[in-house]
Amino acid sequence: MWSAGRPLALLGKARTPSLQATRTKWWRKIIHNVYPSMQERLAEMDQTRSDPELHAPVNIGLSKGSPPRLEQIKSRLDCIAEIRKNKMIEKEARKGELKIDLDKVQAEWEGGAGPHHHRVLAQHYGIFTHLFGNAYFVPRVSLNIAYDYDENSVSPVYRGNTIKPKEASSAPNVQYHSEPNTLWTLILTNPDGNLMDNDLECLHWFVGNIKESDISTGEVMCDYLQPFPPRGTGYHRMVFVLYKQHGRIDFSKYKREQPCLSLSERNFSTLDMYRELQDVLTPAGLSWFQSDWDSSLTDLFHNTLNMREPVYEYDFPKPYLAPQKLFPHRRQFNTYMDRHRDPKQVSKEILLERLKKLHPFGPEAPPLPFPAAQPIHPDLTSWERRDVKRRRIGLGKYQDLFRGSNRPA
């Protein structure tokens, strides 16, 4: 029997290690530090049930008064009835001539279910958990962000699309709808790219006290730094968060020297910042993209950041090899024995077999045109017949017998 996280201990004591016991030890080595145990999961569930209000997510965003549910339903029904009365819409739709104003559809979506869709996507990407802990917000203010890639094209930021570091080398153009006489704060942070401390974020841009929607009027606390995901670390989330201020704020604590080229000075924690300024700041807008390594970052690390370019490689653990058994049931004899032999010895045997077929002064003999269709002697055992097939088609350890054009198709 298997549990949801860690396999249960086997009952009884066997004289020889069984297959189930071997699998149990193997799984415990792999998932010990990845998945919680059944006892840990039950304890967490009991704690949540005992005080659900303490563990419930908190909405820290702007509140928007919505009309009652009955009024929303009535408005939708009236709109549907009006469309059905219009015979021209049906006729144009049947002919394929109906035109729809996409800007109007986009505006209706942003004013209706759009912010809630943004929240669901942000939860899927783990943005709220990694930035605000046990809190979330509905992005009421729509952010329109785009990078100028060249003179004729731009790279827009949506919700999780991919933008290469070369495309985001300079600060983007940010637009949003703002009420008159309001102040805003815009922060660009990377929760995946801090090379100094895994528990902190890397701050890429911080502009505070922005008047209405003009970014140029804000105070730059930390200048813009393009994404720099090191090679081998995969995709990094670059998150834009727009805050609405309740008044002018003194951000001198977060002021960095311009230009800020020290990565240690860009250590940042969104949660700590919001805890300190939660009385005068409210999250209002959210947008993000993903970025991975490209060749332009080599120049950034060497000439701009004045550091060696870090390269990460995953250190795969050695594959688990169960103890050899005297009678391995349902195992092909030769492959089971090769698994417990020295790989260098196996490679040496294959090399010697290949050298026997080579002529020092002549071309190599061509392979069989249809190796899988050649007859096999019926007196051979089942494992010998399978081994002959693998040798003819170059499968497994026999792939070194064929190189280049001599490998069977």
Side-chain angles (χ1 to χ4, degrees):
M1 180 180 297
W2 300 85
S3 66
R6 185 181 299 171
L8 299 177
L10 298 176
L11 299 177
K13 184 177 181 182
R15 297 182 179 179
T16 58
S18 62
L19 179 61
Q20 188 174 1
T22 302
R23 288 177 177 175
T24 302
K25 294 179 181 178
W26 181 69
W27 274 106
R28 283 179 176 174
K29 289 181 179 180
I30 292 180
I31 65 178
H32 177 70
N33 295 325
V34 179
Y35 298 105
S37 63
M38 178 62 73
Q39 289 77 8
E40 294 171 347
R41 293 289 298 275
L42 292 176
E44 182 180 357
M45 293 174 61
D46 292 340
Q47 187 179 10
T48 304
R49 292 171 182 172
S50 61
D51 194 353
E53 295 183 358
L54 181 62
H55 298 273
V58 180
N59 186 358
I60 59 175
L62 294 175
S63 59
K64 181 179 179 181
S66 58
R69 181 63 176 171
L70 292 178
E71 293 185 9
Q72 296 181 12
I73 296 176
K74 185 177 181 303
S75 177
R76 293 176 184 176
L77 292 177
D78 294 342
C79 182
I80 294 174
E82 184 179 354
I83 293 176
R84 287 178 176 178
K85 292 179 181 179
N86 194 338
K87 301 299 181 181
M88 292 300 298
I89 293 180
E90 181 180 358
K91 185 181 297 185
E92 292 176 356
R94 291 181 181 275
K95 294 181 180 181
E97 300 176 354
L98 180 63
K99 296 182 180 180
I100 300 176
D101 188 355
L102 296 181
D103 294 336
K104 183 178 179 181
V105 174
Q106 178 74 14
E108 292 180 357
W109 176 72
E110 292 178 354
H116 298 279
H117 294 168
H118 294 175
R119 176 184 60 82
V120 173
L121 284 173
Q123 289 178 339
H124 173 74
Y125 278 87
I127 292 176
F128 294 138
T129 302
H130 293 158
L131 295 187
F132 297 97
N134 197 31
Y136 72 96
F137 67 93
V138 180
R140 301 293 183 184
V141 180
S142 178
L143 284 174
N144 296 322
I145 305 174
Y147 286 93
D148 292 332
Y149 182 62
D150 53 30
E151 296 180 357
N152 301 322
S153 60
V154 297
S155 298
V157 177
Y158 296 112
R159 287 156 291 277
N161 60 313
T162 302
I163 297 179
K164 289 291 186 178
K166 184 178 181 180
E167 304 175 33
S169 58
S170 58
N173 300 318
V174 182
Q175 298 178 356
Y176 56 90
H177 177 71
S178 172
E179 299 176 355
N181 301 324
T182 54
L183 295 175
W184 304 81
T185 296
L186 180 65
I187 294 178
L188 173 60
T189 181
N190 181 359
D192 307 316
N194 194 311
L195 302 180
M196 308 300 174
D197 192 342
N198 292 332
D199 296 331
L200 296 177
E201 309 156 24
C202 181
L203 182 63
H204 285 259
W205 202 20
F206 192 143
V207 184
N209 294 320
I210 302 173
K211 297 180 181 179
E212 298 179 1
S213 59
D214 189 0
I215 303 295
S216 61
T217 61
E219 300 176 4
V220 180
M221 301 295 108
C222 184
D223 60 332
Y224 179 82
L225 179 64
Q226 72 172 87
F228 55 91
R231 183 188 300 184
T233 58
Y235 288 94
H236 289 203
R237 296 165 296 173
M238 306 297 299
V239 186
F240 292 88
V241 183
L242 180 68
Y243 300 87
K244 185 176 182 180
Q245 301 179 198
H246 303 292
R248 192 169 187 84
I249 302 176
D250 182 12
F251 289 110
S252 58
K253 177 181 178 181
Y254 303 96
K255 181 73 174 180
R256 266 76 168 178
E257 184 181 356
Q258 313 293 333
C260 182
L261 300 178
S262 175
L263 297 184
S264 60
E265 295 182 3
R266 289 184 175 268
N267 292 341
F268 186 71
S269 174
T270 300
L271 183 59
D272 294 342
M273 187 273 298
Y274 179 73
R275 282 175 176 172
E276 182 179 355
L277 303 175
Q278 60 181 333
D279 295 333
V280 291
L281 277 182
T282 303
L286 180 66
S287 186
W288 69 94
F289 67 94
Q290 300 182 87
S291 185
D292 62 339
W293 182 89
D294 65 8
S295 57
S296 66
L297 293 182
T298 302
D299 180 73
L300 175 71
F301 280 110
H302 291 174
N303 300 327
T304 303
L305 299 179
N306 297 322
M307 60 179 293
R308 296 179 60 184
E309 181 182 7
V311 178
Y312 293 86
E313 296 181 355
Y314 185 77
D315 187 11
F316 290 93
K318 294 182 178 180
Y320 174 75
L321 185 62
Q324 189 174 3
K325 297 182 181 180
L326 185 60
F327 300 102
H329 298 289
R330 298 184 179 182
R331 296 290 189 275
Q332 189 172 330
F333 175 74
N334 58 335
T335 56
Y336 183 81
M337 297 298 295
D338 290 340
R339 188 177 300 175
H340 292 272
R341 295 173 58 192
D342 186 3
K344 295 182 179 180
Q345 184 65 25
V346 177
S347 301
K348 180 180 179 180
E349 294 179 0
I350 299 300
L351 178 61
L352 293 176
E353 185 176 351
R354 173 176 170 78
L355 292 176
K356 291 179 182 179
K357 300 179 181 180
L358 296 178
H359 194 278
F361 304 106
E364 186 176 358
L368 298 174
F370 303 100
Q374 300 296 324
I376 300 177
H377 200 281
D379 294 340
L380 297 179
T381 61
S382 60
W383 69 267
E384 288 177 326
R385 289 196 295 269
R386 285 193 295 267
D387 190 66
V388 171
K389 293 180 181 178
R390 293 166 64 90
R391 183 187 290 106
R392 288 178 177 175
I393 63 178
L395 188 62
K397 66 177 183 180
Y398 296 111
Q399 61 182 349
D400 292 336
L401 289 177
F402 307 95
R403 294 181 181 177
S405 60
N406 291 329
R407 185 176 178 86

